[in-house]
Amino acid sequence: TAFQCHARNLWIHDKTRGLYFTGAQRCVLSDINIDLCTDGLVSEHASGTEITNLSVRGCSNDGIQITAIGLSGNGELKLSNCSSMNNGRYGMYIYSDGANNVLEDYFDNCSFTAQDASTHRLYTITSIVDNGSGKIRVTTSAAHEMLIGIGDIQIAGTSNYNGASKDVLDVISATVVDLDVAYVANEATGTLGLPGWDVYIDAGPSSIQAVNDMFFNGGNINYLKIAAAYNVTFNGTRLKNQVWLGDAVDDVNRILF
């Protein structure tokens, strides 16, 4: 907890949390390096706080967490020239606990890429057959979150199809997908792995407006999922590989690219 604090040129290494805001107001920080922590930056309440030149690397959980827990809300946090890479789960996780709102945060020229390979979304394979064109048709035990054209799919635990950098040819259903892999033989075991989400936004169970007014200007996001949110804007942001909006109807509203 801090009011009108100023800090610069910090290196934070191997801690539970690199920076932890539970009531920061009008703080200004710059030139911050965080590495090998459990979580890099955790902001539960940081009204009017600005962080410039933030680098987060190699944290075992999330690079950046922005939320509002047990407080009236978390708003007007501004990150400029930031990067979050090679973390164990998400590059940045913005979420509400359902009781408090995350409001009006700004991300200027921030990049979220290359989270750790252990964060791959893994799906159990229940069937591999010929798709009728000499490629494989794979059925998974749960909805797979794949889209046509996505690459970087990894297959493991099979007899004939293990390897990385497989491409999606067609999505047959929520649990069936065709991959650009030559068919050899039917199989019924293994796993499919997709890269994890670099940015994950989730308003939680109460209202999509619990995460409201997120503004991204420039920067890069390889894999983006907005599970539930209201009014999220991307202006000149490079959205490289995959964007997933909502798991159900009305989970998202006013998402602008």
Side-chain angles (χ1 to χ4, degrees), residues 211-232:
V211 173
N212 190 341
D213 287 351
M214 301 290 115
F215 300 97
F216 292 79
N217 183 48
N220 178 86
I221 303 172
N222 283 359
Y223 290 88
L224 165 68
K225 180 171 181 177
I226 305 177
Y230 184 86
N231 197 29
V232 182

Side-chain angles (χ1 to χ4, degrees), residues 58-192:
C59 294
S60 60
N61 193 41
D62 297 327
I64 298 170
Q65 286 184 9
I66 299 175
T67 187
I69 298 176
L71 298 162
S72 59
N74 186 357
E76 297 184 33
L77 173 67
K78 183 176 181 179
L79 302 182
S80 300
N81 299 326
C82 67
S83 65
S84 181
M85 298 178 63
N86 300 117
N87 301 293
R89 190 172 65 156
Y90 305 128
M92 182 165 68
Y93 183 29
I94 303 173
Y95 69 102
S96 168
D97 65 351
N100 301 280
N101 296 333
V102 182
L103 304 172
E104 195 178 344
D105 294 322
Y106 299 85
F107 310 95
D108 291 343
N109 296 316
C110 291
S111 292
F112 307 92
T113 60
Q115 306 316 315
D116 191 276
S118 65
T119 69
H120 271 59
R121 293 166 274 163
L122 296 177
Y123 303 96
T124 300
I125 294 171
T126 60
S127 170
I128 300 177
V129 299
D130 192 328
N131 73 343
S133 300
K135 302 295 184 178
I136 62 172
R137 176 162 293 171
V138 182
T139 301
T140 58
S141 61
H144 51 60
E145 296 182 323
M146 296 187 207
L147 300 172
I148 295 172
I150 291 176
D152 299 327
I153 309 301
Q154 296 189 11
I155 300 177
T158 68
S159 297
N160 298 288
Y161 305 111
N162 295 345
S165 299
K166 314 301 185 183
D167 295 330
V168 177
L169 296 175
D170 198 5
V171 175
I172 309 305
S173 72
T175 58
V176 181
V177 63
D178 288 355
L179 299 181
D180 189 12
V181 179
Y183 171 79
V184 177
N186 288 0
E187 296 197 32
T189 59
T191 58
L192 281 182

Side-chain angles (χ1 to χ4, degrees), residues 196-214:
W197 300 111
D198 292 304
V199 173
Y200 191 103
I201 302 174
D202 189 2
S206 60
S207 168
I208 65 171
Q209 296 193 33
V211 173
N212 190 341
D213 287 351
M214 301 290 115

